[in-house]
Amino acid sequence: MEKTNQPTTPAQKMIAEALNKILIEGLRLYAYHGVLEQERTIGAYFTIDAEIYADFSQAIDTDELAGTIDYSSVYQTIKREMGIPSQLIEHVAGRIAKAILAEHPSAQSVKLKIIKENPPMGADCKGAGIEITIHK
């Protein structure tokens, strides 16, 4: 009998799927978000890390893009949503995560980290930001 590495129980399947993620790290975009009017006028650089959890075992087996999530499409979603000025990056992150989940049916959850570089808060720091995880 041939031994299989496929998960056999629902718990094993859930664990296997949870370990599959698409990563975009260190995406740097210029955008116009902030509570202060000056922040929304002048803008700033933001660094975004995204993790999209999905079952892409089909892509592992077939080498076909249809079996996974195209990270260039995810980038376009992030870029589009970052282009809409907002006061809070929490709001921006929520929009991005919800859009990724809506546009990619195989995505089960999205984890986003958004850092505003050199924020106007009177401190010498690399950046300040948020991290969220949204599940379907």
Side-chain angles (χ1 to χ4, degrees):
M1 182 189 266
E2 186 175 306
K3 185 176 179 180
T4 178
N5 289 330
Q6 296 296 317
T8 55
T9 68
Q12 288 173 329
K13 186 171 182 352
M14 187 171 70
I15 290 168
E17 288 177 1
L19 296 177
N20 295 317
K21 63 184 170 182
I22 304 296
L23 299 170
I24 296 177
E25 294 183 343
L27 175 60
R28 193 166 182 246
L29 296 172
Y30 202 85
Y32 300 88
H33 308 301
V35 173
L36 302 174
E37 185 178 333
Q38 177 184 3
E39 294 175 282
R40 292 188 310 277
T41 302
I42 296 173
Y45 279 103
F46 293 80
T47 303
I48 301 109
D49 293 335
E51 297 180 10
I52 300 92
Y53 293 83
D55 177 10
F56 54 80
S57 57
Q58 180 184 354
I60 292 168
D61 292 338
T62 66
D63 195 29
E64 297 292 328
L65 184 58
T68 189
I69 294 173
D70 181 357
Y71 52 79
S72 66
S73 174
V74 172
Y75 161 70
Q76 291 301 324
T77 301
I78 294 170
K79 182 180 172 186
R80 180 188 72 228
E81 295 300 326
M82 285 294 291
I84 302 168
S86 297
Q87 290 188 63
L88 302 175
I89 56 176
E90 293 87 344
H91 181 70
V92 177
R95 279 199 328 261
I96 292 169
K98 290 174 185 177
I100 290 169
L101 290 171
E103 295 168 17
H104 301 280
S106 65
Q108 295 302 307
S109 66
V110 175
K111 180 178 178 180
L112 287 172
K113 178 178 171 183
I114 302 178
I115 302 293
K116 183 177 207 168
E117 296 180 13
N118 195 26
M121 59 185 209
D124 183 14
C125 73
K126 226 177 176 179
I130 56 95
E131 183 173 281
I132 66 164
T133 302
I134 296 184
H135 306 281
K136 265 191 181 170

